[in-house]
Amino acid sequence: MKKYIITIIAIATVFHSCTDDMNVVSKDDDVLSADALFSSPAGYKKALAGVYGNLTLTGTQGPVYSSLEGLAAGTSQYVRCLLNLQELTTDEMIWSYENDEGTAELQRNIWTAANPIILGMYSRTMASIAYANDFLRESTPEKLKGRNITDAGTVAEIELYRKEVRVLRAYAYYNMMDLFGKAPMYTENDPLNFAGPEYNRTQLFEFIETELKAVLPDLKPARTNVYGRVDQAVARMILAKIYLNAKVYTDTDRYDDCITMCNEIIAGGYTLKPKYLENFMADNNTSEEMIFTIQSDGILTQNWGGTTFLINGQIGEIENNAVDFGITGWTGALRIRKQFVQKFDGAKFSQDDRNTIGTGTATKQRTIDIADISVKSQGYIVSKFSNKTSTGVSGKNRDFADTDFPLFRLADVYLMYAEATLRGGNGTIAQSLVYVNKLRERANDNATTANITASELNLQFIIDERARELYWEGHRRQDLIRFGLYTGGTYNWSWKGNAARGISIPSFRRLFPIPQASLGSNKNLTQNTGY
């Protein structure tokens, strides 16, 4: 079941009109005309896979090719861009090879509007919107009728595809709202070669919320759709995320609404995977905890991002033998910073399965501090992700991972419920404590020794527990901003602000700049303050 969508993605083509709609997708010899692609029901399924596939693939011609104009494959894969912006700019991750374009500026918090990774994220996300709009244009009742696609079952199935695509488009605008604070607005009703108006955060919030609420009743119930496709829980998860962060986005709290969404997701039948690390292995598609993943296959979806980036990157020059993780390894590309290591300080975390930090005690060659980023023996590493299955079988390919990226999972819902309750939402402390301690017990082989009491459940605990539970899953920057810890000097980490011990950074860095190239292509766009 896992490879259902991946098989289609491998033969899917990009949509023809994206070059006109957004000016971000390059011409491709494999692009089909609309009439050819959408001439049969099978074509619509391929096109749907193309919308999903933009989150996985960089193009249609292998891992070294990018469908985005002027961007290298390594700086344009969605998950890698997301991790670079949400993790590399925080206390959870550092990249050793600072000659790689854009990375030094991000991890030192000195980026500009010329940063290629920021352009990669912006362009990849806008491409998602373009693909979604093109699918919606080509799947109207009028288009179906004109192509003699009239079977009731087929028409209903394509209508479901349309609802899923609207969720994917809303998710793309959620990323734009979170990372950039603004975006050009395009829908399927706009003509090609149209310069979309600039929407601010409040307008984007309203669009995302309205779209998701409109399609939610018609999506398949949680855990009933094909693995890897959108269902009601995915829509509710995006809503829960925007409600939890609504104070940041719109200066209005929506914690009650966040709790409502969390309750509905939890009621969908998800349960925690009994063993924490099995959520990050090559057969994690079997995890009953996953709400939505971005699929990976070592043969069919080869790219240099996703979990290939994470698993290869965590293979250290000193520790983490590549053989143990079923992959070749990039000899110390990724490490962690001192402040994240300290989240696991204390005896209560000595048996915690989430504590995968390698200290180098056997060789005595590692230090917790990173005085020089280029010295790969400085700083600790983790071993959270693996290209082996839970039974020890290596993935199909030793260069590219089979492990799916866990975009949304139940553990995050538990922590969101607890945080929203602590911030004044209408949940209960008793239920919050149950959820938090479920995570603690799972991490400690069902022992209750690391459980906390109600007096210990506070916002400082939540931000630290989110780091321990969700590190390297693309949440950290957003979390630190919500807690008021990202900019300023209240909380500093190694190399924050381009200083080895960390210094304050200005508040405008809570948003990324609109890339220079994007400003030039749409005169309606304005630059964010500070850039």
Side-chain angles (χ1 to χ4, degrees), residues 124-137:
R124 182 63 64 188
T125 306
M126 293 307 297
S128 281
I129 294 164
Y131 293 156
N133 285 338
D134 209 45
F135 185 94
L136 293 170
R137 290 187 189 104

Side-chain angles (χ1 to χ4, degrees), residues 422 429-430 433 437 451-461:
L422 289 169
I429 294 298
L433 199 62
N437 282 332
N451 284 16
I452 66 166
T453 63
S455 64
E456 296 172 291
L457 182 61
N458 54 46
L459 288 175
Q460 184 61 54
F461 170 86

Side-chain angles (χ1 to χ4, degrees), residues 43-65:
Y44 283 90
K45 188 174 287 188
K46 291 179 184 179
L48 174 69
V51 184
Y52 280 99
N54 187 58
L55 298 176
T56 300
L57 300 172
T58 55
T60 61
Q61 299 176 23
V64 298
Y65 173 78

Side-chain angles (χ1 to χ4, degrees), residues 34-229:
D35 287 339
L37 180 60
F38 295 104
S39 62
S40 69
Y44 283 90
K45 188 174 287 188
K46 291 179 184 179
L48 174 69
V51 184
Y52 280 99
N54 187 58
L55 298 176
T56 300
L57 300 172
T58 55
T60 61
Q61 299 176 23
V64 298
Y65 173 78
S66 174
S67 60
L68 300 182
E69 190 73 54
L71 283 170
T75 57
S76 64
Q77 198 274 338
Y78 170 75
V79 174
R80 184 165 179 171
C81 287
L82 180 72
L83 291 168
N84 277 326
L85 269 57
Q86 295 281 20
E87 299 286 350
L88 198 63
T89 64
T90 75
D91 59 346
E92 288 192 351
M93 182 183 285
I94 202 160
W95 181 255
S96 301
Y97 305 117
E98 289 202 292
N99 287 333
D100 289 356
E101 57 178 352
T103 55
E105 293 87 353
L106 288 175
Q107 65 189 13
R108 294 170 183 258
N109 309 101
I110 54 172
W111 58 79
T112 69
N115 187 279
I117 299 173
I118 294 175
L119 176 61
M121 184 65 188
Y122 189 99
S123 299
R124 182 63 64 188
T125 306
M126 293 307 297
S128 281
I129 294 164
Y131 293 156
N133 285 338
D134 209 45
F135 185 94
L136 293 170
R137 290 187 189 104
E138 298 294 342
S139 59
T140 62
E142 294 76 18
K143 289 279 189 178
L144 295 179
K145 185 176 180 181
R147 291 168 177 149
N148 294 316
I149 299 174
T150 57
D151 174 76
T154 300
V155 170
E157 186 70 10
I158 293 173
E159 184 59 30
L160 175 62
Y161 297 168
R162 288 174 59 85
K163 299 296 194 299
E164 293 179 27
V165 165
R166 288 172 67 182
V167 174
L168 294 174
R169 182 176 63 182
Y171 174 68
Y173 271 120
Y174 157 71
N175 278 299
M176 297 299 292
M177 176 178 65
D178 182 70
L179 295 167
F180 299 100
K182 59 179 67 172
M185 176 52 63
Y186 296 94
T187 73
E188 71 275 20
N189 299 317
D190 295 320
L192 301 181
N193 298 313
F194 171 72
E198 180 178 273
Y199 270 35
N200 61 29
R201 264 185 163 168
T202 299
Q203 291 170 307
L204 290 172
F205 189 102
E206 291 172 352
F207 174 82
I208 295 162
E209 182 182 28
T210 300
E211 277 287 280
L212 293 174
K213 283 186 170 181
V215 302
L216 205 158
D218 298 321
L219 296 170
K220 287 198 172 184
R223 306 181 74 240
T224 65
N225 206 351
V226 174
Y227 174 81
R229 277 174 51 186

Side-chain angles (χ1 to χ4, degrees), residues 212-423:
L212 293 174
K213 283 186 170 181
V215 302
L216 205 158
D218 298 321
L219 296 170
K220 287 198 172 184
R223 306 181 74 240
T224 65
N225 206 351
V226 174
Y227 174 81
R229 277 174 51 186
V230 164
D231 60 20
Q232 290 179 343
V234 177
R236 289 184 173 117
M237 191 72 179
I238 302 169
L239 285 169
K241 285 289 184 184
I242 70 170
Y243 292 148
L244 183 65
N245 291 281
K247 189 70 175 174
V248 174
Y249 299 151
T250 68
D251 200 31
T252 302
D253 79 65
R254 299 288 296 274
Y255 301 123
D256 286 354
D257 292 320
C258 177
I259 288 169
T260 297
M261 288 299 111
C262 290
N263 284 334
E264 291 178 0
I265 295 167
I266 292 166
Y270 298 95
T271 58
L272 293 179
K273 187 74 175 171
K275 294 184 178 180
Y276 174 77
L277 289 176
E278 289 184 1
N279 284 308
F280 315 103
M281 293 182 172
D283 56 351
N284 63 349
N285 60 294
T286 65
S287 173
E288 52 272 54
E289 186 172 339
M290 297 303 183
I291 296 169
F292 190 59
T293 65
I294 296 177
Q295 293 189 60
S296 182
D297 184 283
I299 303 299
L300 298 174
T301 64
Q302 293 182 358
N303 64 79
W304 298 115
T307 55
T308 292
F309 166 73
L310 290 172
I311 302 169
N312 276 300
Q314 73 183 19
I315 305 301
E317 191 171 51
I318 298 174
E319 294 172 274
N320 284 1
N321 191 323
V323 174
D324 295 334
F325 295 87
I327 210 157
T328 304
W330 294 344
T331 59
L334 288 172
R335 288 168 284 156
I336 52 176
R337 309 190 202 208
K338 176 181 180 178
Q339 290 71 25
F340 174 69
V341 176
Q342 292 172 333
K343 300 293 185 289
F344 286 99
D345 279 353
K348 60 185 174 181
F349 297 112
S350 62
Q351 302 300 316
D352 193 312
D353 287 342
R354 303 171 302 182
N355 183 1
T356 67
I357 298 170
T359 63
T361 53
T363 59
K364 305 294 184 184
Q365 293 183 58
R366 285 198 176 275
T367 58
I368 191 172
D369 289 301
I370 302 175
D372 184 337
I373 293 174
S374 68
V375 179
K376 292 182 287 184
S377 60
Q378 295 179 2
Y380 295 167
I381 58 178
V382 297
S383 54
K384 178 172 179 173
F385 289 84
S386 176
N387 193 36
K388 286 192 172 184
T389 68
S390 55
T391 59
V393 178
S394 294
K396 305 183 196 72
N397 191 302
R398 288 191 56 78
D399 292 318
F400 301 99
D402 282 344
T403 308
D404 295 345
F405 181 75
L407 197 65
F408 298 138
R409 59 187 180 91
L410 180 63
D412 190 8
V413 182
Y414 284 171
L415 290 169
M416 287 196 295
Y417 177 98
E419 180 183 338
T421 298
L422 289 169
R423 292 187 184 277

